[in-house]
Short mmCIF file of all heavy atoms in Angstrom, two decimals:
data_model
loop_
_atom_site.label_atom_id
_atom_site.label_comp_id
_atom_site.label_asym_id
_atom_site.label_seq_id
_atom_site.Cartn_x
_atom_site.Cartn_y
_atom_site.Cartn_z
N ILE W 11 6.35 0.63 19.97
CA ILE W 11 5.80 0.87 18.48
C ILE W 11 4.39 1.11 18.64
O ILE W 11 3.71 0.17 19.04
CB ILE W 11 6.23 -0.26 17.62
CG1 ILE W 11 7.66 -0.31 17.44
CG2 ILE W 11 5.59 -0.07 16.28
CD1 ILE W 11 8.22 -1.46 16.69
N VAL W 12 3.99 2.27 18.31
CA VAL W 12 2.51 2.58 18.39
C VAL W 12 1.93 2.87 17.11
O VAL W 12 0.71 3.11 16.90
CB VAL W 12 2.31 3.85 19.33
CG1 VAL W 12 2.78 3.46 20.79
CG2 VAL W 12 3.06 5.10 18.83
N GLY W 13 2.67 2.93 15.94
CA GLY W 13 2.14 3.12 14.65
C GLY W 13 3.18 2.50 13.63
O GLY W 13 4.38 2.43 13.84
N VAL W 14 2.63 2.08 12.54
CA VAL W 14 3.46 1.53 11.48
C VAL W 14 2.73 1.82 10.14
O VAL W 14 1.55 1.77 9.99
CB VAL W 14 3.64 -0.01 11.63
CG1 VAL W 14 4.50 -0.54 10.41
CG2 VAL W 14 4.26 -0.37 12.89
N SER W 15 3.57 2.18 9.10
CA SER W 15 3.07 2.47 7.76
C SER W 15 3.91 1.52 6.93
O SER W 15 5.17 1.51 7.04
CB SER W 15 3.15 3.79 7.34
OG SER W 15 2.51 4.09 6.16
N THR W 16 3.36 0.86 5.94
CA THR W 16 3.99 -0.06 4.98
C THR W 16 3.91 0.34 3.50
O THR W 16 2.97 1.03 3.14
CB THR W 16 3.53 -1.57 5.21
OG1 THR W 16 2.18 -1.62 4.70
CG2 THR W 16 3.55 -1.89 6.74
N SER W 17 4.91 -0.11 2.83
CA SER W 17 4.71 0.07 1.24
C SER W 17 5.61 -0.94 0.59
O SER W 17 6.61 -1.49 1.21
CB SER W 17 5.20 1.40 0.88
OG SER W 17 6.43 1.82 1.48
N VAL W 18 5.38 -1.20 -0.65
CA VAL W 18 6.13 -2.27 -1.50
C VAL W 18 5.75 -1.98 -2.92
O VAL W 18 4.88 -1.29 -3.38
CB VAL W 18 5.55 -3.60 -1.08
CG1 VAL W 18 4.10 -3.89 -1.54
CG2 VAL W 18 6.50 -4.77 -1.49
N PRO W 19 6.68 -2.36 -3.85
CA PRO W 19 6.49 -2.22 -5.20
C PRO W 19 5.21 -3.03 -5.56
O PRO W 19 5.04 -4.16 -5.10
CB PRO W 19 7.72 -2.84 -5.85
CG PRO W 19 8.79 -2.70 -4.92
CD PRO W 19 8.21 -2.76 -3.63
N LEU W 20 4.34 -2.51 -6.39
CA LEU W 20 3.13 -3.28 -6.71
C LEU W 20 3.31 -4.57 -7.18
O LEU W 20 2.54 -5.55 -6.96
CB LEU W 20 2.30 -2.40 -7.64
CG LEU W 20 0.89 -3.07 -8.06
CD1 LEU W 20 0.06 -3.02 -6.85
CD2 LEU W 20 0.18 -2.17 -9.13
N GLU W 21 4.41 -4.79 -7.97
CA GLU W 21 4.71 -6.10 -8.58
C GLU W 21 4.86 -7.15 -7.62
O GLU W 21 4.78 -8.36 -7.83
CB GLU W 21 6.01 -6.06 -9.49
CG GLU W 21 7.18 -5.69 -8.63
CD GLU W 21 8.38 -5.28 -9.52
OE1 GLU W 21 8.20 -4.96 -10.65
OE2 GLU W 21 9.50 -5.22 -8.95
N ALA W 22 5.16 -6.94 -6.25
CA ALA W 22 5.46 -7.83 -5.14
C ALA W 22 4.12 -8.12 -4.47
O ALA W 22 4.06 -9.11 -3.69
CB ALA W 22 6.47 -7.37 -4.19
N GLU W 23 3.04 -7.54 -4.79
CA GLU W 23 1.79 -7.74 -4.07
C GLU W 23 0.91 -8.86 -4.72
O GLU W 23 1.45 -9.48 -5.66
CB GLU W 23 0.87 -6.35 -4.18
CG GLU W 23 0.99 -5.46 -3.05
CD GLU W 23 0.46 -6.27 -1.72
OE1 GLU W 23 -0.15 -7.37 -1.85
OE2 GLU W 23 0.62 -5.76 -0.65
N ASP W 24 -0.15 -9.20 -4.07
CA ASP W 24 -0.98 -10.27 -4.43
C ASP W 24 -1.67 -9.98 -5.72
O ASP W 24 -1.82 -8.74 -6.13
CB ASP W 24 -2.09 -10.55 -3.42
CG ASP W 24 -1.55 -11.08 -2.14
OD1 ASP W 24 -0.37 -11.74 -2.18
OD2 ASP W 24 -2.21 -11.05 -1.13
N ASP W 25 -2.04 -11.02 -6.61
CA ASP W 25 -2.69 -10.76 -7.84
C ASP W 25 -3.92 -9.87 -7.75
O ASP W 25 -4.21 -9.10 -8.66
CB ASP W 25 -3.13 -12.07 -8.53
CG ASP W 25 -1.88 -12.86 -9.01
OD1 ASP W 25 -0.85 -12.31 -8.99
OD2 ASP W 25 -2.06 -14.09 -9.15
N GLU W 26 -4.67 -9.84 -6.59
CA GLU W 26 -5.88 -9.06 -6.44
C GLU W 26 -5.58 -7.53 -6.60
O GLU W 26 -6.46 -6.83 -6.96
CB GLU W 26 -6.53 -9.32 -5.16
CG GLU W 26 -7.20 -10.79 -4.96
CD GLU W 26 -6.20 -11.73 -4.42
OE1 GLU W 26 -5.10 -11.56 -4.54
OE2 GLU W 26 -6.77 -12.69 -3.82
N PHE W 27 -4.42 -7.18 -6.19
CA PHE W 27 -4.02 -5.81 -6.22
C PHE W 27 -3.43 -5.35 -7.58
O PHE W 27 -3.44 -4.23 -7.93
CB PHE W 27 -3.02 -5.41 -5.19
CG PHE W 27 -3.65 -5.61 -3.71
CD1 PHE W 27 -3.42 -6.83 -2.97
CD2 PHE W 27 -4.46 -4.72 -3.12
CE1 PHE W 27 -3.90 -6.99 -1.78
CE2 PHE W 27 -5.04 -4.83 -1.99
CZ PHE W 27 -4.68 -6.06 -1.25
N ILE W 28 -2.71 -6.35 -8.20
CA ILE W 28 -2.03 -6.08 -9.49
C ILE W 28 -3.03 -6.01 -10.60
O ILE W 28 -2.93 -5.17 -11.49
CB ILE W 28 -1.01 -7.16 -9.70
CG1 ILE W 28 0.13 -7.08 -8.68
CG2 ILE W 28 -0.32 -7.01 -11.19
CD1 ILE W 28 1.12 -8.20 -8.71
N GLN W 29 -4.01 -6.93 -10.69
CA GLN W 29 -4.87 -7.20 -11.87
C GLN W 29 -5.61 -5.90 -12.34
O GLN W 29 -5.68 -5.63 -13.49
CB GLN W 29 -5.92 -8.30 -11.62
CG GLN W 29 -6.44 -8.83 -12.91
CD GLN W 29 -5.28 -9.38 -13.87
OE1 GLN W 29 -4.52 -10.18 -13.52
NE2 GLN W 29 -5.42 -9.02 -15.18
N PRO W 30 -6.20 -5.16 -11.40
CA PRO W 30 -6.85 -3.88 -11.91
C PRO W 30 -5.94 -2.98 -12.67
O PRO W 30 -6.35 -2.33 -13.63
CB PRO W 30 -7.38 -3.23 -10.57
CG PRO W 30 -7.45 -4.42 -9.58
CD PRO W 30 -6.30 -5.25 -9.93
N PHE W 31 -4.73 -2.89 -12.34
CA PHE W 31 -3.76 -2.03 -13.00
C PHE W 31 -3.47 -2.60 -14.40
O PHE W 31 -3.24 -1.94 -15.41
CB PHE W 31 -2.50 -1.86 -12.16
CG PHE W 31 -2.83 -0.86 -10.94
CD1 PHE W 31 -3.18 -1.44 -9.81
CD2 PHE W 31 -2.52 0.42 -11.15
CE1 PHE W 31 -3.44 -0.62 -8.71
CE2 PHE W 31 -2.79 1.34 -10.09
CZ PHE W 31 -3.38 0.82 -8.88
N LEU W 32 -3.31 -3.90 -14.44
CA LEU W 32 -2.97 -4.60 -15.69
C LEU W 32 -4.24 -4.41 -16.61
O LEU W 32 -4.11 -4.12 -17.87
CB LEU W 32 -2.78 -6.12 -15.49
CG LEU W 32 -1.44 -6.53 -14.90
CD1 LEU W 32 -1.32 -7.99 -14.55
CD2 LEU W 32 -0.19 -6.02 -15.70
N ASN W 33 -5.34 -4.48 -16.15
CA ASN W 33 -6.58 -4.37 -16.94
C ASN W 33 -6.74 -3.06 -17.58
O ASN W 33 -7.42 -2.83 -18.50
CB ASN W 33 -7.84 -4.68 -16.09
CG ASN W 33 -7.94 -6.31 -15.61
OD1 ASN W 33 -7.24 -6.99 -16.18
ND2 ASN W 33 -8.79 -6.42 -14.70
N ASN W 34 -6.15 -1.92 -16.85
CA ASN W 34 -6.22 -0.63 -17.32
C ASN W 34 -4.95 -0.16 -18.02
O ASN W 34 -4.80 1.08 -18.13
CB ASN W 34 -6.69 0.25 -16.14
CG ASN W 34 -8.02 0.01 -15.75
OD1 ASN W 34 -8.99 0.77 -16.38
ND2 ASN W 34 -8.45 -0.83 -14.96
N GLY W 35 -4.10 -1.02 -18.32
CA GLY W 35 -2.94 -0.66 -19.17
C GLY W 35 -1.81 -0.03 -18.47
O GLY W 35 -0.91 0.72 -19.03
N TYR W 36 -1.74 -0.16 -17.16
CA TYR W 36 -0.59 0.47 -16.33
C TYR W 36 0.78 -0.33 -16.47
O TYR W 36 0.63 -1.53 -16.57
CB TYR W 36 -0.95 0.69 -14.85
CG TYR W 36 -1.93 1.76 -14.65
CD1 TYR W 36 -3.32 1.53 -14.81
CD2 TYR W 36 -1.54 2.96 -14.15
CE1 TYR W 36 -4.21 2.59 -14.42
CE2 TYR W 36 -2.33 3.97 -13.75
CZ TYR W 36 -3.73 3.79 -14.01
OH TYR W 36 -4.61 4.76 -13.71
N ASP W 37 1.76 0.33 -16.32
CA ASP W 37 3.11 -0.29 -16.28
C ASP W 37 3.36 -0.73 -14.79
O ASP W 37 3.66 0.20 -14.03
CB ASP W 37 4.22 0.55 -16.81
CG ASP W 37 5.63 0.05 -16.56
OD1 ASP W 37 5.72 -1.15 -16.30
OD2 ASP W 37 6.61 0.84 -16.73
N ILE W 38 3.26 -1.93 -14.39
CA ILE W 38 3.18 -2.42 -13.03
C ILE W 38 4.52 -2.08 -12.39
O ILE W 38 4.69 -1.68 -11.23
CB ILE W 38 2.94 -4.01 -13.02
CG1 ILE W 38 1.59 -4.30 -13.51
CG2 ILE W 38 3.05 -4.42 -11.46
CD1 ILE W 38 0.46 -3.46 -12.88
N ASP W 39 5.70 -2.19 -13.26
CA ASP W 39 6.98 -1.94 -12.64
C ASP W 39 7.16 -0.44 -12.14
O ASP W 39 8.12 -0.24 -11.24
CB ASP W 39 8.00 -2.24 -13.69
CG ASP W 39 8.14 -3.70 -14.08
OD1 ASP W 39 7.59 -4.51 -13.27
OD2 ASP W 39 8.79 -4.10 -15.06
N SER W 40 6.30 0.42 -12.53
CA SER W 40 6.40 1.86 -12.16
C SER W 40 5.51 2.30 -11.10
O SER W 40 5.44 3.39 -10.75
CB SER W 40 6.26 2.72 -13.41
OG SER W 40 4.91 2.65 -13.80
N VAL W 41 4.78 1.33 -10.45
CA VAL W 41 3.79 1.68 -9.48
C VAL W 41 4.31 1.12 -8.05
O VAL W 41 4.73 0.05 -7.92
CB VAL W 41 2.49 0.93 -9.85
CG1 VAL W 41 1.38 1.33 -8.72
CG2 VAL W 41 1.97 1.35 -11.14
N PHE W 42 4.23 2.18 -7.15
CA PHE W 42 4.51 1.80 -5.80
C PHE W 42 3.34 1.83 -4.87
O PHE W 42 2.52 2.70 -4.83
CB PHE W 42 5.59 2.89 -5.19
CG PHE W 42 6.30 2.40 -4.00
CD1 PHE W 42 7.26 1.29 -4.00
CD2 PHE W 42 6.22 3.06 -2.73
CE1 PHE W 42 7.86 0.90 -2.93
CE2 PHE W 42 6.93 2.69 -1.68
CZ PHE W 42 7.77 1.53 -1.76
N TYR W 43 3.18 0.69 -4.09
CA TYR W 43 1.93 0.42 -3.41
C TYR W 43 2.02 0.64 -1.92
O TYR W 43 2.96 0.21 -1.30
CB TYR W 43 1.45 -1.05 -3.57
CG TYR W 43 0.19 -1.43 -2.82
CD1 TYR W 43 -1.06 -0.98 -3.24
CD2 TYR W 43 0.34 -2.22 -1.72
CE1 TYR W 43 -2.11 -1.18 -2.53
CE2 TYR W 43 -0.76 -2.58 -1.02
CZ TYR W 43 -2.04 -2.09 -1.48
OH TYR W 43 -3.16 -2.45 -0.66
N PHE W 44 1.20 1.54 -1.41
CA PHE W 44 1.13 1.75 0.08
C PHE W 44 0.16 0.83 0.71
O PHE W 44 -0.99 0.82 0.37
CB PHE W 44 0.64 3.22 0.28
CG PHE W 44 1.60 4.29 -0.08
CD1 PHE W 44 1.24 5.66 -0.08
CD2 PHE W 44 2.87 4.05 -0.67
CE1 PHE W 44 2.03 6.63 -0.45
CE2 PHE W 44 3.74 5.02 -1.07
CZ PHE W 44 3.31 6.26 -0.99
N GLY W 45 0.78 0.03 1.64
CA GLY W 45 -0.20 -0.88 2.30
C GLY W 45 -1.00 -0.23 3.39
O GLY W 45 -1.88 0.65 3.07
N GLU W 46 -0.69 -0.52 4.64
CA GLU W 46 -1.50 0.00 5.79
C GLU W 46 -0.86 1.15 6.40
O GLU W 46 0.42 1.21 6.33
CB GLU W 46 -1.93 -0.99 6.79
CG GLU W 46 -0.77 -1.87 7.14
CD GLU W 46 -0.50 -2.96 6.24
OE1 GLU W 46 -1.42 -3.83 6.09
OE2 GLU W 46 0.62 -3.11 5.73
N SER W 47 -1.54 2.03 7.06
CA SER W 47 -1.08 3.00 8.10
C SER W 47 -1.93 2.81 9.21
O SER W 47 -3.02 3.03 9.27
CB SER W 47 -1.15 4.36 7.59
OG SER W 47 -0.17 4.71 6.57
N VAL W 48 -1.25 2.17 10.39
CA VAL W 48 -2.04 2.02 11.59
C VAL W 48 -1.36 2.70 12.74
O VAL W 48 -0.12 2.78 12.89
CB VAL W 48 -2.11 0.51 11.92
CG1 VAL W 48 -3.10 -0.18 11.02
CG2 VAL W 48 -0.72 -0.20 11.87
N LEU W 49 -2.15 3.49 13.54
CA LEU W 49 -1.67 4.31 14.66
C LEU W 49 -2.64 4.22 15.78
O LEU W 49 -3.86 4.40 15.62
CB LEU W 49 -1.42 5.76 14.13
CG LEU W 49 -0.93 6.70 15.14
CD1 LEU W 49 0.59 6.42 15.46
CD2 LEU W 49 -1.07 8.18 14.63
N LYS W 50 -2.11 3.99 16.94
CA LYS W 50 -2.97 4.01 18.12
C LYS W 50 -3.78 5.31 18.31
O LYS W 50 -3.17 6.33 17.95
CB LYS W 50 -2.21 3.70 19.38
CG LYS W 50 -1.79 2.20 19.51
CD LYS W 50 -1.06 1.99 20.75
CE LYS W 50 -0.81 0.47 21.10
NZ LYS W 50 -2.11 -0.17 21.31
N LYS W 51 -5.04 5.27 18.74
CA LYS W 51 -5.86 6.36 18.75
C LYS W 51 -5.24 7.59 19.61
O LYS W 51 -5.44 8.73 19.31
CB LYS W 51 -7.21 6.04 19.38
CG LYS W 51 -8.07 5.18 18.41
CD LYS W 51 -9.34 4.85 19.06
CE LYS W 51 -10.29 3.97 18.10
NZ LYS W 51 -11.56 3.67 18.67
N ALA W 52 -4.56 7.27 20.69
CA ALA W 52 -4.03 8.31 21.47
C ALA W 52 -2.96 9.19 20.88
O ALA W 52 -2.70 10.34 21.36
CB ALA W 52 -3.30 7.62 22.71
N TYR W 53 -2.51 8.71 19.71
CA TYR W 53 -1.41 9.50 19.04
C TYR W 53 -1.85 10.13 17.72
O TYR W 53 -1.06 10.76 16.91
CB TYR W 53 -0.18 8.59 18.71
CG TYR W 53 0.47 8.09 20.07
CD1 TYR W 53 0.01 6.91 20.59
CD2 TYR W 53 1.34 8.85 20.75
CE1 TYR W 53 0.64 6.40 21.84
CE2 TYR W 53 1.92 8.39 21.91
CZ TYR W 53 1.48 7.19 22.53
OH TYR W 53 2.10 6.84 23.65
N ARG W 54 -3.08 10.04 17.44
CA ARG W 54 -3.69 10.68 16.19
C ARG W 54 -3.87 12.11 16.34
O ARG W 54 -3.88 12.67 17.45
CB ARG W 54 -5.04 9.98 15.87
CG ARG W 54 -4.79 8.52 15.48
CD ARG W 54 -6.19 7.77 15.21
NE ARG W 54 -5.95 6.34 15.18
CZ ARG W 54 -6.90 5.45 15.16
NH1 ARG W 54 -8.14 5.78 15.19
NH2 ARG W 54 -6.55 4.17 15.09
N GLY W 55 -3.89 12.90 15.25
CA GLY W 55 -3.97 14.29 15.29
C GLY W 55 -2.70 15.04 15.51
O GLY W 55 -2.75 16.23 15.82
N GLN W 56 -1.51 14.39 15.44
CA GLN W 56 -0.28 14.96 15.70
C GLN W 56 0.56 15.15 14.43
O GLN W 56 1.73 15.41 14.49
CB GLN W 56 0.49 14.26 16.81
CG GLN W 56 -0.24 14.18 18.06
CD GLN W 56 0.69 13.50 19.14
OE1 GLN W 56 1.82 13.55 19.12
NE2 GLN W 56 0.03 12.61 19.93
N GLY W 57 -0.06 14.79 13.26
CA GLY W 57 0.62 14.82 12.09
C GLY W 57 1.45 13.66 11.63
O GLY W 57 2.09 13.54 10.66
N VAL W 58 1.21 12.41 12.38
CA VAL W 58 1.93 11.28 12.07
C VAL W 58 1.38 10.67 10.84
O VAL W 58 2.21 10.23 9.93
CB VAL W 58 1.70 10.27 13.24
CG1 VAL W 58 2.51 8.99 12.84
CG2 VAL W 58 2.30 10.79 14.51
#
């Protein structure tokens, strides 16, 4: 495994990530949150 990308419904995330959306009137249930995308340097530039 040389790269991983993660995602999760925003409602499952920590409060630090949810609160800005609540403060701005977003429907949290309808937001999907992308976490990290990490890929070793040797494999970058290939469209991953």
Side-chain angles (χ1 to χ4, degrees):
I11 295 175
V12 296
V14 181
S15 190
T16 68
S17 50
V18 70
L20 183 61
E21 64 193 13
E23 261 296 352
D24 293 339
D25 289 342
E26 290 93 335
F27 298 98
I28 296 174
Q29 197 60 47
F31 289 86
L32 290 176
N33 293 345
N34 285 274
Y36 284 82
D37 174 14
I38 301 303
D39 292 345
S40 69
V41 182
F42 198 62
Y43 177 73
F44 293 174
E46 49 277 302
S47 287
V48 287
L49 181 68
K50 285 183 173 288
K51 290 182 180 179
Y53 296 93
R54 296 174 191 173
Q56 302 181 35
V58 180

